């Protein structure tokens, strides 16, 4: 075990290290998804010095010979071994920044949030702006958006900008609005909305593209800030057992941070990057997707495009008006023609396209654009729709006909349940968070968290996927229980399905010969445990490429606090 500890220490300190040479880890209760989509059980793994799996050992197999077939032995102590979890939709740098700035995600009321802001401002008097995120007026049961005046009372004249939990709205104080030049005469931008008071003055909340009016004036993070955020994000992910992530909305500054970490041998999590729009795609990728870099730890392979906003801020584009706001159907970002033009620009250079679509109208537009382009751009395109939260049941079959990847976040269903009922009314709930129906129609499922919107916790996601219940066990029997998934499908969506969604299935996502030795050792088997037990899963160790990057026993003092 001394070699394992040395490797762990080197990883934590950012020291260059190769994976353990010819290592056998056995005495495990292992499960992985096989090539047939079913669960395959095993008792051990043998991997080489490059971190590639050489052999999967099953019950009854002849054990490898010490010193002849392997040099090092690790006792799995009878723990559960699973493939490393893959978060199919997250925002890596934002995970780190959320942990390093003001976090309002667990506040339960407006007063609770204002108290948190007051303390943060007092603790950081040197910061020119008060920056944070995570507020949710629905959780606060406020019945409205918060106001600039309320924020003014606790920020002492310093500009403040706090993003909503979904990242599709932001709360500014008067000082920030003044710096941005947002007044009663400022027009709503296309695809955005400035919330206003009765006299037309900005009320303090900016929705979707209206946020750009202010964020352009917020001082950007420095390079070393980004490096710190990335290091913090990696440790948060490892603690949850996440070994790979699809980074949705990668900008050039993010990419440079990933490259700096890779060059310094401090990039351990595997990042499948999707550029933040076509311009960033061209800037980063140039004539086409990048190769896999740093032993399959980084690749720019696609682009993320936005069709609408979020349900919570009423930016999701619906076919019919909102049940609780009949004057609006949401905020569309692109027409089908505009979307098709951007998709075509990406597809001609073989970039994968991932489309943010939450409302049923946005999902129909996305599917329509995919149908239009599929005849021109043939081959293995793996068109992705991110979120696919509200889909008209009439459109389910269209997902299957085009082999669309439904990249969804199970915990959104449990977090959004009451809000979704209010926004949609009873008649549209049949198409809400419809994992089972989309799978049955032929869509490929890939699951993630949308972190930091939700915690990057695959165990909470697995529990939600098989139960349709929140941490409180409600509602009894599950919400829209016909959409519950079987355990194998849920595990696949967080492992092999998520790898497939990022064109990575020949590299990682399962535990099989020729793939990377990315795995977790946990105390709970999600294939047999109940949802409460799955949510409480403790990750004992996380391994990437045959090297251990997280141990609950050895990294407690060196891992940044995960405030989520």
């Amino acid at each position: 075990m001394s070699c394992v500890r040395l490797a762990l220490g080197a990883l934590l300190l950012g020291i260059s290290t190769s994976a353990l040479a010819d290592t056998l880890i056995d005495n495990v209760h292992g499960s992985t998804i096989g090539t047939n989509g079913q669960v395959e059980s095993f008792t051990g793994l043998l991997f080489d010095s490059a971190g590639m799996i050489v052999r999967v050992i099953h019950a009854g197999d002849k054990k490898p010979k010490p010193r002849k077939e392997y040099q090092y032995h690790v006792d799995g102590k009878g723990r559960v071994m699973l493939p490393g979890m893959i978060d199919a939709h997250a925002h890596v740098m934002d995970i780190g920044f959320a942990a390093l700035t003001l976090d309002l995600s667990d506040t339960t009321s407006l007063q609770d949030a204002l108290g948190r802001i007051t303390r943060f401002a007092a603790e950081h008097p040197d910061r020119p702006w008060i920056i944070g995120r995570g507020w949710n007026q629905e959780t606060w049961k406020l019945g409205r958006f918060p106001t600039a005046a309320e924020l003014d009372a606790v920020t002492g004249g310093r500009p403040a900008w706090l993003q909503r939990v979904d990242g599709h709205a932001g709360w500014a104080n008067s000082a920030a609005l003044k710096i941005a030049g947002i007044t009663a005469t400022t027009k709503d931008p296309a695809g955005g909305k400035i919330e206003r008071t009765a006299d037309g003055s900005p009320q303090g909340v900016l929705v979707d593209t209206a946020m750009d009016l202010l964020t352009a004036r917020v001082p950007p993070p420095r390079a070393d800030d980004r490096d710190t955020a990335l290091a913090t994000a990696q440790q948060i992910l490892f603690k949850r057992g996440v070994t790979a992530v699809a980074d949705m909305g990668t900008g050039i500054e993010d990419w440079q941070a990933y490259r700096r970490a890779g060059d310094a041998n401090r990039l351990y999590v595997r990042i499948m990057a999707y550029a933040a729009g076509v311009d960033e795609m061209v800037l980063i990728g140039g004539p086409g997707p990048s190769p896999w870099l740093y032993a399959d730890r980084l690749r720019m392979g696609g682009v993320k495009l936005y069709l609408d906003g979020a349900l919570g801020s009423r930016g999701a584009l619906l076919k019919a008006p909102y049940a609780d706001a009949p004057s609006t159907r949401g905020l569309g970002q692109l027409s089908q023609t505009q979307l098709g033009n951007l998709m075509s620009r990406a597809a001609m250079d073989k970039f994968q396209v991932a489309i943010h679509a939450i409302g049923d109208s946005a999902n129909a537009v996305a599917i329509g654009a995919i149908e239009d382009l599929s005849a021109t751009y043939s081959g293995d395109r793996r068109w992705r729709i991110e979120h696919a939260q509200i889909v008209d049941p009439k459109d389910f079959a269209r997902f299957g006909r085009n082999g669309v990847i439904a990249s969804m976040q199970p915990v959104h269903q449990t977090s959004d349940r009451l809000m979704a009922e209010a926004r949609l009314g009873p008649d549209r709930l049949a198409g809400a968070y419809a994992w089972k129906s989309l799978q049955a129609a032929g869509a490929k499922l890939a699951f993630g968290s949308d972190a930091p919107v939700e915690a990057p916790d695959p165990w909470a996601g697995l529990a939600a996927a098989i139960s349709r219940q929140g941490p409180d066990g409600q509602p009894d029997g599950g919400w829209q229980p016909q959409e519950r998934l079987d355990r194998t499908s849920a595990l696949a969506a967080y492992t092999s399905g998520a790898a497939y969604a990022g064109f990575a299935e020949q590299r990682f996502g399962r535990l099989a010969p020729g793939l990377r030795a990315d795995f977790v050792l946990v105390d709970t088997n999600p294939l047999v445990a109940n949802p409460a037990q799955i949510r409480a899963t403790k990750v004992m160790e996380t391994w990437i490429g045959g090297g251990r990057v997280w141990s609950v026993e050895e990294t407690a003092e060196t891992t940044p606090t995960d405030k989520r």
Side-chain angles (χ1 to χ4, degrees):
M1 286 295 292
S2 61
C3 61
V4 177
R5 290 194 173 122
L6 285 172
L8 170 65
L11 285 168
L12 291 173
L13 294 172
I15 299 172
S16 176
T17 179
S18 60
L20 302 181
D22 300 326
T23 302
L24 171 68
I25 179 166
D26 62 2
N27 187 22
V28 300
H29 297 285
S31 295
T32 187
I33 302 298
T35 54
N36 62 356
Q38 299 304 306
V39 173
E40 176 185 327
S41 300
F42 59 92
T43 61
L45 286 182
L46 185 67
F47 50 87
D48 65 18
S49 59
M52 304 293 288
I53 299 170
V54 174
R55 180 180 164 196
V56 178
I57 301 161
H58 302 89
D61 286 354
K62 186 177 179 181
K63 291 189 66 173
K65 296 178 181 179
R67 293 181 300 279
K68 190 171 184 180
E69 295 184 68
Y70 65 91
Q71 297 182 47
Y72 305 114
H73 175 243
V74 178
D75 182 1
K77 301 178 182 179
R79 294 167 173 168
V80 175
M81 179 186 281
L82 300 168
M85 297 293 110
I86 302 175
D87 195 314
H89 184 116
H91 309 278
V92 175
M93 297 300 293
D94 288 344
I95 294 172
F97 282 123
L100 297 170
T101 56
L102 174 58
D103 183 4
L104 300 175
S105 61
D106 60 353
T107 55
T108 57
S109 68
L110 175 61
Q111 290 306 313
D112 184 15
L114 293 174
R116 185 81 58 88
I117 297 164
T118 300
R119 292 190 295 274
F120 185 88
E123 292 167 0
H124 301 281
D126 57 328
R127 298 193 181 187
W129 281 66
I130 297 170
I131 302 295
R133 66 169 313 282
W135 60 271
N136 186 348
Q137 83 282 2
E138 297 295 327
T139 302
W140 296 346
K141 296 180 171 56
L142 196 60
R144 59 173 176 83
F145 282 128
T147 68
E150 289 163 334
L151 195 49
D152 291 344
V154 295
T155 47
R158 268 189 289 171
W161 175 243
L162 308 171
Q163 285 198 351
R164 192 180 183 275
V165 64
D166 57 15
H168 286 270
W171 178 20
N173 67 359
S174 297
L177 292 170
K178 183 177 181 180
I179 289 172
I182 300 173
T183 69
T185 61
T186 305
K187 294 181 179 180
D188 289 351
K193 182 180 182 183
I194 301 170
E195 296 290 333
R196 302 177 188 270
T197 62
D199 66 0
S201 299
Q203 169 260 20
V205 168
L206 309 176
V207 180
D208 287 320
T209 60
M211 294 191 295
D212 298 340
L213 301 174
L214 193 143
T215 55
R217 306 302 300 273
V218 177
R222 301 170 303 181
D224 57 347
D225 295 329
R226 292 184 179 278
D227 294 343
T228 300
L230 174 57
T232 302
Q234 289 194 86
Q235 289 299 322
I236 291 171
L237 293 167
F238 299 157
K239 181 178 178 180
R240 303 282 193 179
V242 176
T243 58
V245 59
D247 187 42
M248 286 293 162
T250 307
I252 184 61
E253 294 88 356
D254 304 326
W255 181 256
Q256 289 171 330
Y258 304 154
R259 292 300 304 263
R260 285 193 298 272
D263 291 344
N265 197 29
R266 286 194 283 265
L267 182 66
Y268 307 118
V269 71
R270 303 192 190 281
I271 299 177
M272 300 170 281
Y274 291 77
V278 167
D279 290 344
E280 296 284 344
M281 176 193 82
V282 174
L283 182 62
I284 298 169
S290 79
W292 284 95
L293 304 169
Y294 312 116
D296 294 340
R297 282 177 167 81
L298 179 64
R299 179 177 183 256
M300 168 59 70
V303 62
K304 182 184 180 185
L305 305 173
Y306 280 91
L307 260 181
D308 64 348
L311 201 63
S313 49
R314 298 188 184 86
L317 190 62
L318 302 179
K319 291 185 175 182
Y322 278 78
D324 60 353
S327 63
T328 183
R329 294 194 304 112
L331 298 169
Q333 305 296 310
L334 300 167
S335 68
Q336 184 167 319
T337 299
Q338 291 171 321
L339 174 65
N341 288 339
L342 294 173
M343 291 172 64
S344 182
R345 175 64 185 86
M348 69 173 59
D349 286 337
K350 308 244 185 305
F351 287 98
Q352 186 185 15
V353 174
I355 308 165
H356 168 113
I358 289 181
D360 54 6
S361 180
N363 275 282
V365 170
I367 287 291
I370 290 170
E371 290 170 340
D372 289 346
L373 268 68
S374 290
T376 302
Y377 299 103
S378 57
D380 189 5
R381 294 291 172 170
R382 302 190 196 181
W383 311 101
R384 296 177 60 136
I385 295 184
E386 304 302 310
H387 309 302
Q389 284 181 213
I390 315 299
V391 178
D392 187 331
K394 297 176 183 177
D395 292 327
F396 287 160
R398 300 172 72 193
F399 275 74
R401 284 198 295 270
N402 295 281
V404 173
I405 293 166
S407 173
M408 305 177 79
Q409 300 76 44
V411 176
H412 280 342
Q413 181 267 305
T414 56
S415 296
D416 293 354
R417 172 173 63 90
L418 297 177
M419 178 268 290
E421 290 176 348
R423 297 288 188 273
L424 301 174
D427 296 337
R428 284 179 283 190
L429 297 181
Y433 314 87
W435 316 316
K436 183 71 172 178
S437 293
L438 287 170
Q439 181 193 49
K444 310 292 186 183
L445 295 182
F447 281 169
S449 66
D450 202 13
V453 174
E454 306 281 0
D457 184 354
W459 316 104
L462 284 166
I466 66 171
S467 70
R468 307 279 290 192
Q469 293 174 313
D472 58 358
Q474 293 300 313
D476 187 40
W479 189 77
Q480 301 291 316
Q482 73 277 5
E483 296 297 343
R484 287 182 300 212
L485 288 178
D486 64 86
R487 294 164 187 266
T488 299
S489 294
L491 179 61
Y494 275 108
T495 56
S496 57
Y500 175 86
F503 284 92
E505 74 277 10
Q506 299 299 319
R507 299 170 189 273
F508 52 85
R510 298 184 302 112
L511 297 176
L515 301 186
R516 297 287 181 181
D518 298 353
F519 57 87
V520 292
L521 294 173
V522 298
D523 68 347
T524 303
N525 187 345
L527 295 171
V528 298
N530 66 42
Q533 292 168 332
I534 295 172
R535 277 195 177 86
T537 295
K538 180 180 288 186
V539 177
M540 310 306 293
E541 297 182 10
T542 302
W543 293 63
I544 298 178
R548 188 169 62 190
V549 297
W550 164 263
S551 167
V552 71
E553 296 175 352
E554 299 184 37
T555 61
E557 295 182 2
T558 55
T559 301
T561 300
D562 176 4
K563 297 192 293 186
R564 302 189 67 78

